Amino acid sequence: MKFESRALKRLPVFAALTPEQRREIASAALLRNIAKGECVFREAEIVSNAFLIVSGHVKLSRGGWHRDSVTLSIAHPGEPFGVTGDRSGHQQTKTAVALCDCRLAIWPIQIWNEFLRAMPGLTVGLLQDVERRLAITEDRLAEIASLDVSRRIAHLVLRLIDQAGRQETDGVWVDFPVTRQEIAALTGTTLHSASRILTRWERERIVGGGRRELMVRNIPALLSLATGVTAHKVS
């Protein structure tokens, strides 16, 4: 299946490129379907490709010191992952696993590096993407340092529904499976603490979905938990 260059036009990473450059990049891409749970690449593998999420969501994790792998972030549609600049011969620093059925655009690293050398606008777009991700990481670190666990989880859930929310009659669903262990890792807490808080919120009908899915039933209440400001009841 051909990767249409118009799919790149609306993505910030490729915004500075000319239509001809976007067509050249799109024509060099291989589209690949990845099943839920399939590993895209593993930590310590040699970097061989650059990836862009066309649809779906990918979990990026790293091995922990004294336990199983730790979830670092989740990549969403339109985001490059796995490699940004020229890292030929380097090792992957993370493991990437599909959280749901995904479609990826893939470029061999040699071709990707040629694009970087020939198209300064692509380098600028990637640097801006790195800055955006760094800002998100800094926000998370500030939350871990200054907020209690409940407020950290509330901030995370609000980010998730902003990034991948799907409105339905019973609430706003996060459009991919997310476990309580992943929520704990993304907020710098323990599984026990995350489970206790989410179970309480389920009883209060603020969230729902169970242990592998997440839905927000009451956004004003969740905003109140995140900000510490009491939500006013609507009569």
Side-chain angles (χ1 to χ4, degrees):
M1 184 179 294
K2 185 178 179 181
F3 187 32
E4 298 291 340
S5 61
R6 63 174 176 266
L8 300 179
K9 184 177 180 180
R10 61 180 180 270
L11 302 180
V13 169
F14 305 95
L17 301 181
T18 66
E20 292 77 14
Q21 288 173 326
R22 286 193 289 267
R23 281 194 291 271
E24 185 178 357
I25 290 173
S27 65
L30 170 67
L31 285 179
R32 178 181 167 192
N33 293 323
I34 305 292
K36 175 183 175 181
E38 186 176 345
C39 184
V40 182
F41 55 78
R42 297 186 185 279
E43 184 178 353
E45 285 183 358
I46 298 298
V47 172
S48 58
N49 295 296
F51 300 88
L52 176 78
I53 300 180
V54 178
S55 63
H57 307 270
V58 173
K59 178 176 71 172
L60 301 172
S61 62
R62 180 180 294 180
W65 287 103
H66 302 295
R67 57 177 178 173
D68 294 336
S69 63
V70 176
T71 300
L72 300 176
S73 63
I74 296 169
H76 304 286
E79 295 184 1
F81 70 100
V83 63
T84 50
D86 184 345
R87 297 192 66 239
S88 300
H90 289 219
Q91 292 182 329
Q92 292 287 2
T93 59
K94 295 177 278 289
T95 294
V97 174
L99 287 172
C100 53
D101 292 345
C102 299
R103 175 166 291 174
L104 306 180
I106 304 173
W107 294 266
I109 191 62
Q110 295 84 357
I111 293 175
W112 186 255
N113 291 338
E114 290 174 8
F115 289 147
L116 290 173
R117 288 190 286 269
M119 304 175 186
L122 178 59
T123 302
V124 170
L126 289 168
L127 285 173
Q128 291 172 342
D129 183 68
V130 170
E131 288 178 349
R132 178 189 63 82
R133 297 186 196 194
L134 179 60
I136 293 172
T137 301
E138 289 174 341
D139 287 344
R140 285 174 54 195
L141 289 173
E143 290 167 6
I144 290 171
S146 60
L147 299 179
D148 60 44
V149 174
S150 180
R151 290 181 68 182
R152 298 203 303 262
I153 294 176
H155 277 272
L156 172 67
V157 174
L158 287 169
R159 276 197 296 270
L160 290 176
I161 63 171
D162 181 59
Q163 295 165 335
R166 184 180 76 247
Q167 181 68 58
E168 296 191 1
T169 55
D170 48 356
V172 181
W173 286 85
V174 175
D175 199 26
F176 55 87
V178 56
T179 67
R180 294 185 174 187
Q181 181 63 68
E182 289 161 351
I183 289 172
L186 290 168
T187 53
T189 189
T190 63
L191 173 60
H192 173 76
S193 295
S195 294
R196 176 174 49 80
I197 290 166
L198 289 166
T199 298
R200 184 176 76 243
W201 291 355
E202 286 181 343
R203 289 198 302 267
E204 297 169 353
R205 296 188 61 78
I206 297 171
V207 302
R211 293 186 176 276
R212 295 197 62 85
E213 294 185 326
L214 184 61
M215 174 188 62
V216 178
R217 298 181 183 273
N218 189 335
I219 291 179
L222 190 63
L223 283 167
S224 175
L225 289 165
T227 61
V229 177
T230 302
H232 297 286
K233 292 184 179 179
V234 179
S235 57

